[in-house]
Amino acid sequence: MIIILIGAPACGKGTQAELLKEKYALRHISTGDLLRAEISKNTPLGEDIAKLINNGNLVPDDMILGLLNNALKMKGKGIVLDGFPRTLTQAKLLRGIVKDQGEKIRAVVNFTLAEEEVVQRIIYRRQCRHCGNIFSVRFVKNFDGHCPKCDSTDIYQRADDTETSARHRLEIYKKETEPVKEFFKEKTYYMQTDGNRPVQEIFKDISSFIERK
Ligand code: AMP
């Protein structure tokens, strides 16, 4: 089973990918996470990637494909792709890889979200280093720097989660990633979901779509 999640930054792809991973025993592949893992190795490649990401630019297709090379070998286990493909070139390459491996795409889920909501989600997003919890300080009453889940004070904000970067990422999204939506739109496995709803409601929609007869 191959499930592809597309949509603007902070639209909820990562959250839904984790839920789908648990429910359908999939591998969750997030290109953003793979890139951040490369950055944390402090290699020259990592430094180049950091410059691109922190300014809100996309990483070139060949670099992404290089990183994904092994991860995309399906080996019988299904995958949920979060943040890939983000360009038409990546979409076409993925279609080829899926075909070559004799696999099938089960769903392409496109999350819709108003632009201002995207920006608000990005600038208020924080993550806890201790338990990995990703949360919005918008919804934590009297936020005092503690993680609402585990109470740790080891909280950080992603370097690319600034307002300037958020607005730039939205422009890139419209230019580079909207065509990916068009590429899949006519397929029977394409669905669109309103990303501005409770997590469980969205999850229910996606699950019913996947399990439809
Ligand atoms: P994400 O964690 O999905 O928000 O991704 C963070 C950043 O990583 C993006 O803003 C891009 O700079 C880069 N990135 C992630 N996935 C891709 C991709 N498929 N193609 C190019 N750049 C990517």
Side-chain angles (χ1 to χ4, degrees):
M1 175 186 307
I2 297 159
I3 300 170
I4 299 167
L5 308 181
I6 56 175
C11 68
K13 300 186 294 287
T15 305
Q16 295 297 329
E18 277 300 301
L19 294 171
L20 291 163
K21 168 188 160 176
E22 289 304 317
K23 181 161 185 178
Y24 300 106
L26 306 171
R27 276 191 299 139
H28 172 188
I29 302 178
S30 152
T31 39
D33 285 349
L34 288 174
L35 292 165
R36 283 183 287 273
E38 194 58 42
I39 293 174
S40 65
K41 289 185 203 158
N42 291 319
T43 56
L45 174 65
E47 275 173 32
D48 290 345
I49 292 174
K51 276 184 213 136
L52 289 163
I53 291 192
N54 294 347
N55 290 319
N57 291 312
L58 291 184
V59 171
D61 292 329
D62 53 347
M63 249 188 221
I64 290 286
L65 262 297
L67 278 176
L68 271 179
N69 212 4
N70 277 327
L72 276 181
K73 293 200 176 95
M74 323 271 173
K75 299 175 202 126
K77 188 156 186 184
I79 55 176
V80 52
L81 284 168
D82 151 19
F84 178 87
R86 257 179 161 103
T87 66
L88 207 47
T89 307
Q90 292 177 13
K92 289 179 180 167
L93 279 165
L94 177 64
R95 189 179 56 181
I97 293 170
V98 170
K99 208 171 157 197
D100 287 350
Q101 299 195 34
E103 296 283 343
K104 277 207 173 84
I105 296 173
R106 177 72 74 91
V108 171
V109 184
N110 177 39
F111 295 70
T112 59
L113 200 60
E115 288 189 16
E116 272 319 300
E117 176 63 16
V118 169
V119 175
Q120 296 294 305
R121 285 191 185 188
I122 289 179
I123 58 183
Y124 288 115
R125 178 161 63 185
R126 300 289 186 278
Q127 188 155 359
C128 171
R129 271 200 191 84
H130 185 68
C131 72
N133 182 26
I134 299 171
F135 61 98
S136 173
V137 292
R138 267 197 299 178
F139 305 120
V140 182
K141 226 174 154 192
N142 306 323
F143 179 65
D144 60 355
H146 287 79
C147 170
K149 200 169 167 188
C150 75
D151 211 35
S152 161
T153 49
D154 203 356
I155 306 296
Y156 71 99
Q157 182 173 25
R158 267 169 53 172
D160 59 338
D161 276 355
T162 61
E163 179 163 358
T164 315
S165 163
R167 298 206 182 273
H168 184 59
R169 280 151 74 193
L170 260 172
E171 288 314 307
I172 303 255
Y173 169 76
K174 283 189 266 182
K175 189 166 161 251
E176 302 285 351
T177 313
E178 289 266 0
V180 173
K181 176 183 90 183
E182 296 305 318
F183 180 74
F184 289 119
K185 209 170 161 189
E186 301 306 325
K187 305 285 184 204
T188 52
Y189 52 69
Y190 174 87
M191 78 166 281
Q192 187 161 296
T193 192
D194 175 2
N196 203 15
R197 291 178 304 149
V199 167
Q200 288 301 332
E201 238 178 74
I202 301 174
F203 183 53
K204 211 169 143 208
D205 269 7
I206 303 175
S207 303
S208 344
F209 183 79
I210 290 170
E211 289 165 22
R212 75 199 186 286
K213 294 279 174 273

